[in-house]
Amino acid sequence: MDVRNKLEILADAAKYDASCASSGSKQARAGSLLGSTEGMGICHSYTPDGRCVSLLKILLTNYCIYDCKYCINRVSSDVPRARFTVDEVVRLTIEFYRRNYIEGLFLSSGIIQNPDYTMEQLIAVARTLREVHRFGGYIHLKTIPKAAERLTIEAGRWADRISINIELPTAADLVELAPEKRREDVDEAMGDIREEIDQRRDDRKAGLKPPTFAPAGQSTQMIVGATDSPDAAILGTATDLYQRHRLRRVYYSAFSPIPFADDRLPPASPPLVREHRLYQADWLLRFYGFKLDEIVTPAAPNLALDVDPKLAWALAHRDQFPMDVNRAPRELLLRIPGIGVRSVNRIVDSRRHRAIRLADLRKLRLPWRRVQHFVAAIDHLPRAKDLESEWLRARLGGNATGLRQLDLFEAARSAHSGEV
Ligand code: SF4
């Protein structure tokens, strides 16, 4: 099998990983063989400083000895298989890089032989790129749970970001659908990475110059909708990972039905809007000061689909609104639907100099249709208290599934910027 065929199979197999989301462009360059970006795993991701970079996103191989029921690459799946050699991935990366198609590499793999052997192969790619080719671009390596700690640490030496997929929201879900994987192994590997990152930080504080280790931190991916686990369990696991292992990002990936699937899997994907609501809730938990039990409760363990979680909270707490933008503390301004962190910061800055008026709010280009009911300014006092919550919800939200109302551009913008 030639490299182009391998690339076709292994770029396609990598698309199920949500850690970098978009796929190749339609541009084809006449006469090019390896240079065409069509369907060939060019994806985009964001560096810690917010820069959008193009990455070559591929698997080293889609052979796998495990049988995770939700995965197209599981051992029992009847799909075309391919395997790159280390040199082939290195060559592809360098050639794509020289042609300016990519700025980095996102490399994952099915498990071949055993976790240690697979990790050694992934590391060999990154090490060769760094040491032999002096490659300075972005490298994101997936690491394999149960691989030796020394290998995880070596992966962090060469990669900018490393990630281990938590896969499913609960340990029981893993037992059900991924019998070879154990939550404890994932947890242990994440703990090893966190300790290494902490150690380097402490060394730097002490004036030492420790070797680089995963400067863009660690992330993970959770599949949504493969089991009945509610959003409360998904967000609970994410919160726990952020707190205990200081993950940079948890990515939520809606389950995609696969051919010849196990009976325990649902026949259809969850609505796209559910994934979007989870990202919004994730931002609220990390940057807006919300607590988990303000967003999901035992009585309502799933996020509403028709309104975003911040609006849902505001509608359930009408007594707190309209919020006076000239007097409310920053942490309360962050709770106003439609006003994101950047806008709150600008309001807080501006009001030091003068009182905020309606015209100032309009200049912030806020989604005024939503915001107007929840804010008060010198010359704006809405009669929101007189309005029924149900009326507001119907006016500002979508339908019960939320599908028709999901604006993909707005969703993509908010997923990146975190403005809710
Ligand atoms: S270990 Fe990874 S590649 Fe293998 S079956 Fe499970 S999810 Fe798929």
Side-chain angles (χ1 to χ4, degrees):
M1 187 184 289
D2 69 18
V3 173
R4 187 190 165 89
N5 290 335
K6 290 184 188 181
L7 183 57
E8 211 162 311
I9 293 171
L10 294 172
D12 191 62
K15 74 184 178 197
Y16 296 95
D17 201 303
S19 308
C20 61
S22 56
S23 192
S25 76
K26 293 282 179 206
Q27 282 179 338
R29 292 179 189 236
S32 62
L33 182 61
L34 291 178
S36 167
T37 59
E38 190 173 354
M40 291 295 195
I42 307 287
C43 76
H44 300 97
S45 190
Y46 292 93
T47 58
D49 60 4
R51 221 164 39 90
C52 179
V53 292
S54 309
L55 302 178
L56 173 61
K57 180 181 178 182
I58 48 174
L59 298 188
L60 186 66
T61 178
N62 65 342
Y63 287 103
C64 188
I65 57 173
Y66 284 11
D67 201 29
C68 308
K69 304 299 177 208
Y70 47 83
C71 176
I72 188 102
N73 300 319
R74 69 196 186 281
V75 66
S76 59
S77 175
D78 183 18
V79 288
R81 306 275 179 175
R83 177 178 172 181
F84 280 128
T85 64
V86 168
D87 283 347
E88 282 170 341
V89 178
V90 169
R91 237 183 6 253
L92 272 177
T93 308
I94 295 298
E95 286 179 15
F96 272 43
Y97 189 72
R98 288 204 176 119
R99 286 173 166 82
N100 255 343
Y101 297 160
I102 58 161
E103 291 163 87
L105 171 69
F106 177 104
L107 185 63
S108 182
S109 181
I111 297 171
I112 31 175
Q113 294 189 21
N114 55 56
D116 280 0
Y117 176 76
T118 310
M119 275 301 295
E120 280 162 5
Q121 298 288 297
L122 294 170
I123 289 167
V125 171
R127 187 178 51 228
T128 310
L129 281 168
R130 297 288 196 221
E131 283 200 324
V132 178
H133 297 275
R134 301 282 161 206
F135 179 73
Y138 184 84
I139 298 179
H140 180 155
L141 285 187
K142 282 274 160 196
T143 55
I144 313 288
K146 285 206 275 198
E149 185 183 345
R150 70 179 166 80
L151 294 171
T152 307
I153 291 168
E154 190 174 357
R157 182 172 167 203
W158 308 113
D160 294 278
R161 169 165 287 184
I162 46 184
S163 55
I164 302 176
N165 286 351
I166 192 92
E167 307 283 14
L168 294 169
T170 68
D173 290 341
L174 269 188
V175 171
E176 180 82 0
L177 295 182
E180 292 103 340
K181 291 186 173 169
R182 294 188 326 143
R183 174 61 67 86
E184 301 86 75
D185 296 327
V186 177
D187 207 53
E188 193 180 321
M190 285 180 174
D192 291 343
I193 295 169
R194 189 208 59 233
E195 278 172 21
E196 237 7 78
I197 291 173
D198 288 353
Q199 182 63 51
R200 309 292 155 119
R201 187 201 52 209
D202 293 347
D203 287 351
R204 276 193 301 276
K205 274 191 193 156
L208 303 172
K209 286 194 176 160
T212 307
F213 182 86
Q218 63 170 325
S219 61
T220 194
Q221 167 178 276
M222 208 180 322
I223 299 167
V224 174
T227 64
D228 291 338
S229 289
D231 295 339
I234 294 168
L235 292 168
T237 296
T239 304
D240 177 56
L241 295 178
Y242 283 128
Q243 284 170 355
R244 282 193 307 117
H245 297 316
R246 282 191 290 289
L247 265 65
R248 288 284 177 89
R249 257 336 262 275
V250 174
Y251 291 91
Y252 306 96
S253 172
F255 165 72
S256 308
I258 48 176
F260 309 108
D262 189 277
D263 289 345
R264 284 166 284 186
L265 290 169
S269 301
L272 187 59
V273 72
R274 183 176 178 199
E275 201 184 279
H276 180 52
R277 296 288 180 240
L278 284 165
Y279 276 113
Q280 290 176 317
D282 183 289
W283 286 106
L284 294 186
L285 291 166
R286 286 190 297 147
F287 299 114
Y288 289 77
F290 280 79
K291 299 273 180 297
L292 184 61
D293 59 8
E294 292 180 297
I295 295 177
V296 277
T297 62
N302 284 306
L303 298 168
L305 297 183
D306 60 334
V307 291
D308 71 63
K310 201 190 206 187
L311 180 54
W313 182 87
L315 291 172
H317 296 83
R318 293 288 306 283
D319 54 313
Q320 309 243 3
F321 299 96
M323 193 94 64
D324 185 344
V325 290
N326 284 299
R327 306 168 74 93
R330 183 177 182 278
E331 61 271 21
L332 287 183
L333 293 179
L334 284 168
R335 295 194 166 227
I336 301 173
I339 303 195
V341 174
R342 269 178 297 185
S343 299
V344 165
N345 290 342
R346 288 173 68 183
I347 289 170
V348 171
D349 269 356
S350 304
R351 73 185 187 186
R352 284 202 193 103
H353 310 293
R354 62 194 168 83
I356 305 278
R357 312 184 76 84
L358 185 58
D360 300 314
L361 293 175
R362 287 192 184 276
K363 275 190 212 149
L364 293 175
R365 303 180 69 183
L366 304 169
W368 188 244
R369 188 170 154 265
R370 193 171 353 151
V371 172
Q372 61 178 318
H373 302 291
F374 298 97
V375 292
I378 286 239
D379 51 353
H380 175 70
L381 185 62
R383 292 174 35 249
K385 276 196 172 26
D386 304 339
L387 301 173
E388 290 289 333
S389 289
E390 284 313 309
W391 182 88
L392 265 182
R393 188 177 188 117
R395 184 174 158 75
L396 301 180
N399 60 19
T401 67
L403 281 174
R404 253 187 316 119
Q405 281 68 30
L406 182 60
D407 174 335
L408 285 177
F409 293 107
E410 191 191 328
R413 248 194 331 270
S414 121
H416 171 50
S417 69
E419 298 289 291
V420 186

